[in-house]
Amino acid sequence: MTAEQAFRFGRADHLIGIAGLPATPAPVGAIVLNAGMVHRVGPFRLHVDLTRRLNAAGYPTLRMDLSTLGDSGASGQNQSHATEVLADVADAMNLLGTHAGCERFVLIGLCAGAANSHTVACVNPRVAGVVFIDGYVYRTFGFNLRHYLPRLLSPVRVLRRVARMARQRRKPEGRAVFEVTVPPRDQVRRNYADMLARGLKLCFIYSGGISEHFNHARQFGEIYGPLARDPGASVHYLAHTDHTYALTADRKLLIDTITDWFADRFPLANRR
Amino acid sequence: MSTRNGADEPIQFGPQSLFGMYCPAAGSTPRGGVLLCAPIGQEQIRGHRLYRQLAHAMAAAGFAVLRFDCYGTGDSPGESLKVSWPQCLADTATAAAELRRRSGCDQLAAYGTRIGGSLALAAAPAAGLARLILWDPILDGAAYVVQLDAWQEWLRKDPGRYPRPRPAADAAGQWLGFAVSPALRHQLLQWRPEPPAVPTVLLQSAEVATQPVPSSFLAAGVQRRTLATPSPWLDPGRLETTVFAPDMVRAACDCLLGTA
């Protein structure tokens, strides 16, 4: 059984995180970043279940709150958001390195967490891999064909769509929890190419909950071209799930996907 | 309101190694201790920020504060499926003992929202809680189960979440995304509160205040305060919206200080 330990840590002693520390040290640990404003337990406690599964497989983990999120305070340093995220994750790596013996790290993030993982993976040499859950995507010609063609051919679907838009217009505040600013596609493509060239392992997982932006596993190749065939990249499309994995079976599927990817890309010697 | 960054301390305590955040009182001698009893499931996640704000506000007012996660919730050990009402009651008593030990305060008040308020109410005798401040507590377990079932049914059909309704089997045995054991379901169905034996204030959101409170509560001297703002808890469309309630935080602190 893996022990979990609560920590206050960081350059200003302002960050809060829960480390899962398996009995045997491991070279690679996982750091799970906040999904939007949800504190470190994650949407529907996803991060708790995920980190405990990874711990059971032998990987040290840290689920943490970035500066000013969850239980973490402000660093008191006058920094840009990106600089603060870089410093927070560096602090997290130092903590997990000290307590679990990890030298390199896999970042895991959903939506805003994926965006913050992206920021760190671009520059931090201790990142060994990233799990992007509903990370950056862009509509493509193929997306538009798959999205609009069936609707044009089905008046019922057009009416259903109009009704759904009307409902969402009446309830705008329940839908904008995880919005992030998306950088230009060419920049993101260059970033991913650079990460893969540096040997990072990248796992891209997309849910059916972002069907207004992504609607087929093939779309990753439509967006990022040859990166989709890079052996360091894995792409998974969990079409029937929602953005935050509200149902238990969907969370299990997501966690299975991530733990299988860990076992494949970061195998631990003599572990199950 | 002071945010007192860095004042609260993550702790693990009790035989279950429960997770908690202890916030010492501002100043040298605490005016008392306050145990914050969280709801469970999605209401706990939605209310996390609110509980942090409450802890900081109460600590700034001179009270030592402990918020904690029951077994199977939040950062505490255990799966969601293992949450049980008797265990939550036992955990609340354990947390009260931990707060007394850390703060040196014997007299404790407790605050709870929704089912967290019900927990504070039910645990008060065993935990030795001297005062209760409850925001929209659940006072009818069976009605709460019916509501949670209806919300789960709404969730699986939510067109903003799924392009077509998910099969009922995919959503079975859960409340708002959390696995629920038959035992917990039965325990909540059976739960009816005894009138509190200690001074108690009910903070009620506008629409909740229109609903009847058990006459035994009124006979026991329970005070009611109505908040001007509507309840953030009753619309499943806000399932993942963080709850902010500055008027409630002020009202709870006023009750604690005896200025309400």
Side-chain angles (χ1 to χ4, degrees):
Chain A
M1 176 105 179
T2 298
E4 281 192 337
Q5 198 172 339
F7 286 97
R8 171 176 285 285
F9 66 99
R11 60 205 177 281
D13 203 28
H14 66 301
L15 300 172
I16 299 293
I18 308 291
L21 304 171
T24 307
V28 174
I31 297 174
V32 186
L33 306 184
N34 300 93
M37 282 186 67
V38 182
H39 76 292
R40 64 197 167 273
V41 303
F44 306 100
R45 219 175 172 222
L46 167 67
H47 298 174
V48 176
D49 293 340
L50 171 61
T51 50
R52 289 177 183 173
R53 271 285 298 279
L54 289 171
N55 294 155
Y59 300 96
T61 60
L62 180 73
R63 53 179 189 271
M64 65 176 290
D65 291 322
L66 295 170
S67 293
T68 72
L69 295 176
D71 287 311
S72 290
S75 68
Q77 298 167 331
N78 190 13
Q79 297 174 318
S80 69
H81 172 71
T83 305
E84 186 119 277
V85 169
L86 289 171
D88 288 353
V89 175
D91 287 341
M93 289 174 171
N94 292 340
L95 179 82
L96 208 48
T98 300
H99 291 274
C102 308
E103 293 154 5
R104 302 196 73 199
F105 303 89
V106 175
L107 306 179
I108 304 174
L110 189 159
C111 199
N116 287 329
S117 298
H118 186 110
T119 298
V120 178
C122 283
V123 297
N124 189 312
R126 289 194 283 176
V127 177
V130 186
V131 179
F132 298 105
I133 308 170
D134 285 351
Y136 296 132
V137 287
Y138 304 86
R139 289 185 175 189
T140 60
F141 179 71
F143 169 89
N144 288 328
L145 275 183
R146 292 184 294 270
H147 188 77
Y148 291 110
L149 204 54
R151 286 163 173 77
L152 291 174
L153 299 175
S154 167
V156 173
R157 294 184 70 172
V158 171
L159 288 173
R160 199 184 295 156
R161 167 75 179 156
V162 170
R164 188 187 309 164
M165 287 171 66
R167 277 194 298 269
Q168 288 177 353
R169 198 165 291 133
R170 281 200 300 271
K171 291 184 181 177
E173 59 190 320
R175 301 289 175 208
V177 179
F178 295 121
E179 286 185 358
V180 296
T181 304
V182 179
R185 178 197 309 217
D186 285 346
Q187 176 190 322
V188 172
R189 185 189 290 136
R190 283 196 303 274
N191 293 155
Y192 288 154
D194 179 60
M195 291 178 205
L196 290 166
R198 286 159 42 211
L200 272 63
K201 310 299 182 195
L202 305 181
C203 179
F204 300 90
I205 302 174
Y206 297 102
S207 74
I210 56 166
S211 61
E212 297 295 313
H213 305 278
F214 191 94
N215 59 11
H216 199 284
R218 191 185 303 142
Q219 190 175 335
F220 188 84
E222 295 167 0
I223 300 169
Y224 297 114
L227 295 183
R229 296 187 297 278
D230 190 293
S234 306
V235 181
H236 305 268
Y237 179 44
L238 310 182
H240 67 284
T241 64
D242 63 316
H243 182 51
T244 50
Y245 297 83
L247 298 178
T248 54
D250 293 352
R251 288 201 294 284
K252 181 177 183 305
L253 175 63
L254 175 65
I255 291 169
D256 287 347
T257 303
I258 294 172
T259 49
D260 288 351
W261 177 82
F262 262 83
D264 181 48
R265 299 307 175 106
F266 300 98
L268 297 173
N270 303 320
R271 315 277 179 98
R272 62 186 167 87
Chain B
M1 181 174 67
S2 166
T3 56
R4 292 165 44 81
N5 277 342
D8 40 9
E9 175 191 354
I11 61 172
Q12 290 163 291
F13 62 94
Q16 304 279 13
S17 195
L18 300 175
F19 174 81
M21 291 292 289
Y22 175 66
C23 201
S28 52
T29 308
R31 304 168 73 148
V34 187
L35 187 66
L36 300 188
C37 301
I40 58 177
Q42 186 59 10
E43 290 180 343
Q44 181 183 20
I45 290 179
R46 292 188 63 204
H48 177 269
R49 194 75 178 175
L50 175 77
Y51 271 62
R52 183 170 186 253
Q53 290 172 338
L54 269 168
H56 290 172
M58 291 173 171
F63 294 87
V65 184
L66 177 63
R67 52 200 164 105
F68 70 101
D69 297 335
C70 289
Y71 185 83
T73 75
D75 282 309
S76 281
E79 301 168 28
S80 302
L81 198 56
K82 301 290 186 187
V83 175
S84 82
W85 186 251
Q87 184 64 53
C88 287
L89 295 177
D91 291 348
T92 305
T94 301
E98 181 67 16
L99 177 56
R100 284 192 180 92
R101 190 183 70 76
R102 285 182 178 267
S103 67
C105 299
D106 192 46
Q107 288 273 309
L108 299 185
Y111 166 91
T113 298
R114 301 283 288 165
I115 201 73
S118 320
L119 261 180
L121 193 56
L129 305 173
R131 293 168 66 193
L132 303 176
I133 302 166
L134 314 174
W135 180 30
D136 291 351
I138 304 302
L139 298 177
D140 182 340
Y144 188 49
V145 167
V146 168
Q147 189 174 56
L148 288 170
D149 283 344
W151 285 344
Q152 180 69 9
E153 184 67 4
W154 174 89
L155 172 68
R156 79 173 178 89
K157 296 175 179 173
D158 178 8
R161 193 173 287 275
Y162 306 109
R164 59 190 63 83
R166 296 290 295 268
D170 286 0
Q174 300 160 60
W175 282 332
L176 295 179
F178 285 80
V180 179
S181 69
L184 177 63
R185 180 186 181 81
H186 179 74
Q187 288 152 7
L188 289 184
L189 273 170
Q190 301 297 317
W191 189 73
R192 295 286 184 282
E194 294 292 326
V198 296
T200 299
V201 178
L202 286 185
L203 300 175
Q204 295 184 298
S205 303
E207 60 271 62
V208 177
T210 63
Q211 298 166 9
V213 171
S215 56
S216 59
F217 273 51
L218 301 177
V222 169
Q223 297 177 49
R224 302 170 73 178
R225 302 262 188 282
T226 302
L227 304 173
T229 48
S231 169
W233 305 108
L234 303 178
D235 177 5
R238 298 170 73 182
L239 174 64
E240 296 187 67
T241 307
T242 298
V243 171
F244 293 98
D247 57 337
M248 192 285 299
V249 173
R250 274 193 299 274
C253 288
D254 288 347
C255 291
L256 204 55
L257 292 166
T259 56

